[in-house]
Every structure is written in C-alpha cells, then in structure tokens.
Amino acid sequence: MAMHHQKSIVLSGAFSALFVMTILSTGLGRIFPNLISRKQTNNAATALYAFFGLRLLYIAWRSDSKASQKKEMEEVEEKLESGQGKTAARRFFSRFCTPIFLEFDALVAALLFFEGGEEAQLKKN
C-alpha cells in the first residue's frame, strides 16, 4: 500500500489500528474466553477469513482495465474541483481519514482481532 499511497497515511493507519486493537484485544481477551466456545470461535474465524479472501479476489477480478482507472481519475478531479469551499476541520479529516487509511485500518484491525482470538483460546486451555 505504501507504494501506491502516501507513506505517512499508511503508517498512521497501521499505528492507529495497532493502538485500537491493543485496547480492544486486552479487554475482549479477558471476557470472551468465558462466553464463547472454541468451536464458535473457529467457525467465526473461518467465515471471516473466507469473506475477506473472497472480497480481495472480487476486487482483483473487477479492476483489470485501464479505462476504469481513467474514469476514476476523472471522477476524482471533478470532486476536487467542486469541493473548494471546505472548512478547516473537514480539510484536516479528509487529508488524514482517506478511504485508503480506513481500509488499511480495517484490514489490520481484522488481522489483529483474529490473532487476539487465537491467543485467548490458547490461554483458556
């Protein structure tokens, strides 16, 4: 991702995901082993891995032509030209909370969640 997008946005997305997931996994790691069985955890992890894998395959299959890239660039340029009157707060958030930042944040959070679930199940045994 850092090759296609600003390195600072990718890095800040990774750090924010790590921070949030550290807090969440610590809290949930204390609660979930007592509430959810190992079989349910394995089923949920399987479903989520399958979902994200199929989603990535769908994205790769769908984005294969240069015409779609050119069309997307034209749409972005139109949006940039029409959005000249943004407030300072909106400009700040639009710079740091880009779709790539949010997607990277979500992917890292999902991976850390899976790891936290596995650790919680190992600690339970």
Side-chain angles (χ1 to χ4, degrees):
M1 285 191 142
M3 291 179 69
H4 298 286
H5 306 285
Q6 291 181 6
K7 291 178 178 88
S8 61
I9 291 176
V10 174
L11 181 65
S12 61
F15 277 139
S16 67
L18 181 63
F19 176 75
V20 169
M21 287 311 299
T22 299
I23 302 299
L24 288 176
S25 65
T26 302
L28 296 177
R30 298 291 232 175
I31 297 170
F32 272 172
N34 298 326
L35 300 177
I36 298 175
S37 70
R38 182 179 206 128
K39 184 177 179 181
Q40 290 173 332
T41 303
N42 288 337
N43 290 340
T46 302
L48 288 172
Y49 276 124
F51 169 75
F52 283 112
L54 291 173
R55 180 179 173 266
L56 288 174
L57 287 174
Y58 174 73
I59 290 171
W61 176 73
R62 190 180 56 154
S63 63
D64 60 341
S65 69
K66 290 189 177 185
S68 65
Q69 291 176 350
K70 186 175 181 180
K71 183 180 176 183
E72 186 175 344
M73 288 298 289
E74 290 172 357
E75 289 176 6
V76 168
E77 287 174 359
E78 288 176 14
K79 286 182 181 180
L80 288 174
E81 289 174 1
S82 66
Q84 296 296 332
K86 292 182 179 178
T87 64
R90 187 167 181 184
R91 278 185 299 220
F92 174 78
F93 284 116
S94 67
R95 181 174 179 182
F96 292 107
C97 292
T98 61
I100 240 358
F101 173 85
L102 297 175
E103 182 178 355
F104 189 74
D105 202 25
L107 289 174
V108 171
L111 290 173
L112 291 173
F113 180 74
F114 293 142
E115 288 180 16
E118 290 174 2
E119 277 187 35
Q121 287 299 323
L122 290 175
K123 287 180 183 177
K124 185 177 181 181
N125 291 332

